[in-house]
């Protein structure tokens, strides 16, 4: 076994992934497959591979893009991706789509999306992992993101649907979180209700070509809504921009905002602090889910869990007393 402690087969994977040669794309895809595997031995290998890759990560800018189905996410990401590649950048597109595990079908769709971008050598597109809870799906995507960074992709886009809690999960793994909105008033109210506005670093009104006046109105409403909230950073007021992904208008402005954000937050150390916080939060979320598994598998807990749950459901004991009794099992 080499000095890194990796099996020869995984060492080859790491070497190919880091080498940026013709074998890189395949090595990256295989690494992500290993990451997404639920087999315990694969998980162990994946963690060793990731640890070896870790010193090579962190160089990319990580951007989250969220929007309801039909907002134009894939059209936008394709237009942005091709624009970035034309500027000499390499781009990876990942996704967090918990709907795929709940309903068996995926809201974000499959390979037929972003066909032009798929054909570009400098683009790597990977659909959402389809197994597990939202937390599990998000964890796999985070790890896939690290693998893409080690492979030297300059920009990582993490796409998600504007339903449920997936936005919060994605905002917790990226440097800049962008909301893609349709130019109608009902939309922003939805986002405000769900508490999503607070985590937006930028709002993008797409499809401005259809009705530019309505888009202007939506933009003003969004600016007002954002103005009333505490900004995500003291050094950054989230901008609201309009664009047409279909006509590829506004893409350069979008990127200019990303660069301004980078320039505003990097020198103050905020950028690094956010990543550090995200890593520690991530560790805690893994600890929490590990503890939950440990708890549920504990023999003494298993022996009394059903009885106590029923007692709580029937009002014979309080949730507090039951939780206390179950947790006490762990102390023995
Ligand atoms: P997603 O579900 O968020 O990924 O949305 P899609 O990218 O699949 O777009 C949904 C529909 O909106 C498609 O028919 C797109 O062609 C259309 N679309 C996307 N962006 C624009 C835009 O800027 N202007 C117009 N007119 N249509 C757009």
């Amino acid at each position: 076994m080499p000095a890194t402690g990796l099996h020869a087969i995984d060492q080859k994977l790491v070497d190919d992934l880091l080498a940026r040669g013709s074998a890189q794309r395949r090595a990256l895809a295989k690494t992500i497959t290993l990451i997404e595997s639920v087999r315990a031995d694969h998980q162990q290998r994946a963690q060793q591979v990731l640890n070896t890759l870790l010193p090579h990560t962190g160089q990319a800018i990580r951007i989250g893009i969220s929007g309801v189905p039909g907002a134009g996410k894939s059209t936008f990401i394709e237009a942005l991706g091709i624009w970035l590649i034309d500027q000499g950048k390499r781009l990876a597109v990942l996704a967090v789509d918990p709907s795929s595990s709940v309903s068996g079908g995926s809201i974000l769709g499959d390979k037929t999306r972003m066909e032009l971008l798929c054909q570009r050598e400098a683009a790597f597109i990977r659909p959402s992992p389809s197994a597990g809870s939202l937390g599990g799906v998000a964890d796999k995507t985070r790890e896939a993101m690290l693998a893409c960074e080690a492979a030297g992709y300059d920009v990582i886009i993490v796409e998600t649907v504007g339903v449920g809690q997936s936005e919060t999960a994605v905002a917790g793994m990226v440097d800049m979180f962008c909301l893609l909105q349709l130019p109608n008033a009902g939309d922003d109210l939805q986002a405000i209700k769900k508490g999503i506005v607070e985590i937006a670093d930028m709002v993008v009104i797409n499809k401005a070509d259809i009705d530019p006046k309505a888009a202007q109105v939506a933009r003003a409403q969004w600016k007002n809504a954002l103005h009333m909230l505490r900004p995500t950073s003291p050094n950054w007021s989230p901008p609201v921009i309009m664009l047409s992904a279909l006509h590829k208008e506004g893409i350069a402005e979008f990127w200019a905002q990303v660069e301004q954000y980078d320039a505003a937050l990097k020198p103050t150390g905020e950028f690094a602090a956010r990543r550090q916080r995200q890593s520690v939060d991530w560790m805690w979320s893994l600890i929490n889910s590990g503890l939950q598994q440990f708890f549920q598998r504990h023999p003494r807990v298993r022996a009394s869990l059903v009885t106590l749950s029923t007692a709580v459901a029937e009002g014979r004991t309080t949730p507090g007393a039951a939780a206390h009794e179950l947790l006490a099992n762990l102390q023995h």
Side-chain angles (χ1 to χ4, degrees), residues 267-278:
T268 62
E270 234 180 297
F271 213 89
R274 180 168 171 161
R275 284 188 173 186
Q276 284 169 1
R277 215 170 37 240
Q278 288 175 338

Side-chain angles (χ1 to χ4, degrees), residues 42-327:
H42 285 176
Q43 268 312 301
Q44 203 180 356
R45 282 173 54 201
Q47 290 310 319
Q48 282 173 339
V49 166
L50 280 169
N51 259 334
T52 314
L53 294 176
L54 202 60
H56 305 275
T57 65
Q59 303 303 321
I61 177 134
R62 307 163 180 173
I63 301 171
I65 294 183
S66 150
V68 294
K73 293 180 294 301
S74 50
T75 312
F76 172 58
I77 294 169
E78 178 158 81
L80 173 67
I82 289 170
W83 188 86
L84 285 170
I85 290 169
D86 289 344
Q87 313 276 316
K89 300 214 183 299
R90 294 174 76 221
L91 152 112
V93 183
L94 306 172
V96 172
D97 181 3
S99 63
S100 53
S101 57
V102 177
S103 63
S106 156
I107 297 186
L108 287 176
D110 46 31
K111 297 176 207 83
T112 51
R113 304 161 78 243
M114 304 182 217
E115 266 177 86
L116 292 173
L117 190 58
C118 284
Q119 290 163 19
R120 296 293 188 106
E121 194 53 41
F124 179 84
I125 303 177
R126 180 92 181 184
S128 174
S130 59
S133 61
L134 167 61
V137 169
D139 286 337
K140 304 283 179 201
T141 302
R142 269 175 198 276
E143 291 178 345
M145 179 165 82
L146 295 180
C148 291
E149 286 190 354
Y153 287 88
D154 310 288
V155 180
I156 316 278
I157 298 210
V158 185
E159 177 188 10
T160 196
V161 274
V163 290
Q165 296 300 309
S166 61
E167 286 117 325
T168 320
V170 170
M173 69 174 85
V174 296
D175 302 315
M176 188 175 199
F177 183 69
C178 307
L179 282 183
L180 196 65
Q181 291 290 313
L182 291 166
N184 57 45
D187 240 31
D188 44 349
L189 288 175
Q190 276 274 337
I192 290 165
K193 258 196 284 186
K194 285 193 296 172
I196 299 305
V197 188
E198 287 92 332
I199 54 173
D201 299 303
M202 170 158 37
V203 175
V204 178
I205 316 272
N206 189 31
K207 308 199 186 185
D209 57 290
I210 297 176
D211 183 349
K213 269 210 186 107
Q216 285 284 5
V217 171
R219 181 167 186 246
Q221 286 178 336
W222 266 103
K223 281 196 147 187
N224 268 335
L226 288 164
H227 197 69
M228 289 186 291
L229 296 165
R230 194 164 54 91
T232 49
S233 150
N235 301 305
W236 182 254
S237 307
V240 186
I241 65 164
M242 300 191 299
L243 60 77
S244 166
L246 190 66
H247 299 295
K248 301 173 183 57
E249 284 163 10
I251 307 293
E253 193 196 339
F254 174 88
W255 195 251
Q257 292 290 349
V258 173
E259 286 184 331
Q260 279 181 35
Y261 178 81
D262 191 76
L265 270 66
K266 263 215 180 110
T268 62
E270 234 180 297
F271 213 89
R274 180 168 171 161
R275 284 188 173 186
Q276 284 169 1
R277 215 170 37 240
Q278 288 175 338
S279 292
V280 175
D281 286 351
W282 183 14
M283 179 191 77
W284 271 109
S285 97
L286 292 172
I287 291 175
N288 284 334
S289 58
L291 278 176
Q292 195 157 351
Q293 278 179 17
F294 174 73
F295 176 75
Q296 280 165 347
R297 287 193 194 131
H298 194 283
R300 255 198 290 265
V301 170
R302 286 175 62 152
S304 54
L305 190 56
V306 175
T307 320
L308 279 168
S309 301
T310 313
V312 169
E314 291 175 354
R316 284 183 283 112
T317 184
T318 64
H324 192 264
E325 191 177 332
L326 285 165
L327 285 168

